[in-house]
Amino acid sequence: QVQLVESGGGLVQAGGSLRLSCAASGRTFSTYAMGWFRQAPGKERELVVAISRGGGNTYYADSMRGQFTISRDSAKNTVYLQMNSLKPEDTAVYYCAAKSTVTFGAIFTAPNQYDYWGQGTQVTVSS
């Protein structure tokens, strides 16, 4: 089992940047593929980006590519989401999620594929 704790959210002006962190408990972080999702009020949870357990494969939602960057640091059991050129429509609660997998390069894009979720961190972009 793994526990996930997000941090780094907050209020930022349009055009600004934030870096979200997701710290995972336990010693098996390297066996989990990870994902960042977001959910805006009244909308469904959507994928931002996913990364394989080894970090070699990533998948970005089309609208996020070029604006967001995912990375993971196995020594720190942490996955990051660098968000640049933020827009008001990026306002949402951002969640990280973990999926246990034996496949080194696998990535997962649907929320129901993930085993564990963090509590979320609010990102608000003002115009």
Side-chain angles (χ1 to χ4, degrees), residues 65-86:
R65 193 172 292 115
Q67 182 188 1
F68 296 168
T69 304
I70 192 171
S71 60
R72 65 186 294 165
D73 185 337
S74 294
K76 295 182 178 180
N77 282 9
T78 301
V79 62
Y80 302 97
L81 180 66
Q82 178 66 43
M83 307 188 294
N84 298 326
S85 303
L86 286 164

Side-chain angles (χ1 to χ4, degrees), residues 20-83:
L20 306 184
S21 300
C22 173
S25 65
R27 296 182 292 178
T28 59
F29 178 68
S30 62
T31 66
Y32 290 90
M34 302 295 293
W36 281 100
F37 292 79
R38 70 183 186 184
Q39 188 166 19
K43 295 187 177 181
E44 294 186 352
R45 191 167 299 189
E46 63 175 348
L47 175 73
V48 175
V49 58
I51 188 167
S52 60
R53 57 177 276 188
N57 290 339
T58 57
Y59 178 87
Y60 290 85
D62 286 343
S63 61
M64 320 289 180
R65 193 172 292 115
Q67 182 188 1
F68 296 168
T69 304
I70 192 171
S71 60
R72 65 186 294 165
D73 185 337
S74 294
K76 295 182 178 180
N77 282 9
T78 301
V79 62
Y80 302 97
L81 180 66
Q82 178 66 43
M83 307 188 294

Side-chain angles (χ1 to χ4, degrees), residues 96-121:
C96 71
K99 165 67 177 176
S100 179
T101 179
V102 298
T103 307
F104 209 68
I107 54 175
F108 302 90
T109 59
N112 62 9
Q113 293 179 296
Y114 283 82
D115 302 314
Y116 303 101
W117 291 84
Q119 81 289 351
T121 185

